[in-house]
Amino acid sequence: MNNNKGQHFLLSAKARSFSLLEIFRLSQDEAFDLFRKARWPETNGEAVCSDCGALDHYWLKTRKQWRCKSCKHTFSVTSSTIFANHKLPLTTYLAAIALYSNTAKGISALQMSRDLDCQYKTAFVLCHKLRESLIGNKDQKLEGEVEVDGAYFCNHVRPINRLEDRKDLRLVQNQNPKKRAVIVMRQRDGNVTKTFIAKSENQKTTLALALDNIKKGSTIFADDHPAYNVLHAHFNTQRVNHKAIYCGVNGENTNFAESYFSRLRRMHLGQHHKMSNLYLGNYANEAAYREDTRRMSNGEIFNDITTRCGRKGVSRDFCGYWQGNKKLREELAA
Ligand SMILES: [Zn+2]
């Protein structure tokens, strides 16, 4: 999407179609209208009953809620969305989405709490809810030319001070037990990236993931890691040996996948510093979303995330996270 002068898209005025200043200028009523239109884009902001889907309702002006004429259900603009039972003003949530959509490598909860002047715990849950809203259709299959690659995360082991006390980190028993492999599959055209978390990058895992997520007849590009040897029997598979070359003469490369890991690694090291294994999949998916939307203007990304927040439904993991969801947290962590 470079323009004629060869200027990079992200430096062009087209990439900046929206500013945080616009959110701060909104009144509470205008913020309400903006959220309403983002939540129900197909009816141009006309409220749709969150229970039965009917369009006929009464407007309860003082409560800023609707009551459905069919099922008598009372609902607000945030009912059944990730912002259900919200405590902060709507403009704060819109500002959070704006901050979140403007960053290239994600935003840490600490930074969000400083920007919005809210508690760290509030920002932590808010960022996680936004991250959760980015999870797309898991059933969608990739096709055409698909790049597959894996990388390890959460595998850091603090070096022991004295050389003679240090252990051989190549041995499994000396590695960090929280080490996880992020496996990425990127369709070269169409900006579709899928990510998966596995304990290790091995033949069994990669084959199962490829059969589940890549259509038959597609061409897979992978590096020379032995985990991908098994793919040759099921797909047209092209390999590139990174020790010798990064891009083969016939386009054998995994540059899209490498680009994805470059972003996720920088997100981890530069922003979040710690990514819990429990939600590593959501962080990995966030990096995939940012890769896939890298040529969209920030206004388009803001609208897209706001609409996703409206459609996602109440967060199972993060609604009441600090209040009483501790048991669920522990169950998920087990
Ligand atoms: Zn209804």
Side-chain angles (χ1 to χ4, degrees):
M1 283 180 81
N2 288 354
N3 65 19
N4 294 337
K5 290 176 188 168
Q7 185 190 34
H8 193 281
F9 169 69
L10 293 178
L11 298 177
S12 70
K14 277 185 195 163
R16 302 184 306 272
S17 58
F18 170 79
S19 156
L20 191 57
L21 297 174
E22 289 173 35
I23 298 291
F24 294 136
R25 289 188 194 119
L26 293 178
S27 66
Q28 285 300 325
D29 284 344
E30 286 168 333
F32 182 87
D33 282 344
L34 199 156
F35 199 83
R36 188 166 55 88
K37 284 181 183 155
R39 177 167 181 193
W40 295 297
E42 26 326 87
T43 56
N44 196 26
E46 262 315 299
V48 180
C49 174
S50 54
D51 216 29
C52 72
L55 284 165
D56 283 338
H57 38 67
Y58 306 101
W59 170 235
L60 312 175
K61 195 178 170 187
T62 46
R63 292 166 65 174
K64 285 205 159 193
Q65 287 180 335
W66 293 271
R67 180 163 296 148
C68 176
K69 283 186 184 176
S70 313
C71 71
K72 309 291 180 240
H73 176 61
T74 307
F75 60 97
S76 73
V77 74
T78 55
S79 293
S80 309
T81 74
I82 64 161
F83 299 127
N85 309 316
H86 66 96
K87 316 279 187 304
L88 299 171
L90 274 182
T91 41
T92 309
Y93 292 105
L94 290 172
I97 299 173
L99 288 165
Y100 189 82
S101 50
N102 274 345
T103 59
K105 308 281 188 295
I107 182 166
S108 70
L110 190 64
Q111 188 175 336
M112 184 71 94
S113 78
R114 287 171 177 169
D115 284 341
L116 298 179
D117 188 21
C118 63
Q119 275 189 42
Y120 171 78
K121 286 180 170 185
T122 311
F124 174 88
V125 166
L126 189 52
C127 287
H128 265 303
K129 283 182 178 174
L130 291 173
R131 202 165 289 125
E132 206 179 64
S133 77
L134 304 181
I135 298 170
N137 178 9
K138 288 187 177 170
D139 297 332
Q140 186 184 7
K141 283 203 171 191
L142 307 178
E143 58 186 333
E145 295 185 336
V146 181
E147 294 184 13
V148 181
D149 201 4
Y152 283 99
F153 284 80
C154 310
N155 53 348
H156 179 68
V157 177
R158 191 175 180 174
I160 294 170
N161 187 24
R162 291 156 60 93
L163 180 64
E164 55 268 36
D165 296 339
R166 288 183 198 160
K167 292 174 181 166
D168 185 353
L169 294 179
R170 289 169 299 182
L171 300 174
V172 176
Q173 64 267 29
N174 295 334
Q175 291 175 355
N176 188 337
K178 291 184 177 171
K179 176 180 168 179
R180 291 289 181 276
V182 175
I183 294 169
V184 69
M185 295 182 176
R186 283 196 85 173
Q187 189 174 310
R188 280 189 178 168
D189 62 334
N191 281 331
V192 194
T193 307
K194 294 188 86 171
T195 56
F196 312 91
I197 308 298
K199 283 211 165 175
S200 71
E201 200 181 359
N202 57 49
Q203 297 208 2
K204 194 179 163 197
T205 311
T206 49
L207 179 62
L209 289 174
L211 291 175
D212 277 355
N213 295 286
I214 301 176
K215 278 188 187 167
K216 284 261 172 208
S218 305
T219 303
I220 295 184
F221 293 87
D223 59 23
D224 58 338
H225 192 289
Y228 305 109
N229 293 349
V230 70
L231 299 179
H232 286 269
H234 301 268
F235 296 91
N236 173 21
T237 308
Q238 310 279 325
R239 310 291 288 274
V240 57
N241 180 359
H242 282 162
K243 285 186 192 109
I245 197 169
Y246 287 116
C247 184
V249 284
N250 297 317
E252 303 95 339
N253 68 74
T254 55
N255 291 351
F256 271 110
E258 300 296 342
S259 152
Y260 165 79
F261 281 120
S262 166
R263 189 181 299 260
L264 182 61
R265 192 71 72 188
R266 280 158 181 75
M267 241 174 88
H268 182 202
L269 299 179
Q271 269 292 326
H272 298 297
H273 302 170
K274 181 176 182 297
M275 299 194 297
S276 142
N277 270 354
L278 187 53
Y279 299 112
L280 184 59
N282 290 6
Y283 286 103
N285 183 66
E286 177 189 347
Y289 178 83
R290 293 189 189 280
E291 276 290 306
D292 291 344
T293 56
R294 70 200 182 286
R295 294 292 177 267
M296 278 164 65
S297 71
N298 65 344
E300 286 172 309
I301 298 173
F302 173 83
N303 288 336
D304 183 52
I305 296 182
T306 314
T307 305
R308 282 166 180 265
C309 290
R311 285 191 178 151
K312 192 67 193 171
V314 178
S315 169
R316 181 176 169 266
D317 288 359
F318 291 100
C319 190
Y321 185 86
W322 299 108
Q323 283 78 38
N325 218 341
K326 198 175 164 204
K327 198 173 161 219
L328 176 65
R329 258 185 289 155
E330 285 165 358
E331 271 173 30
L332 286 164

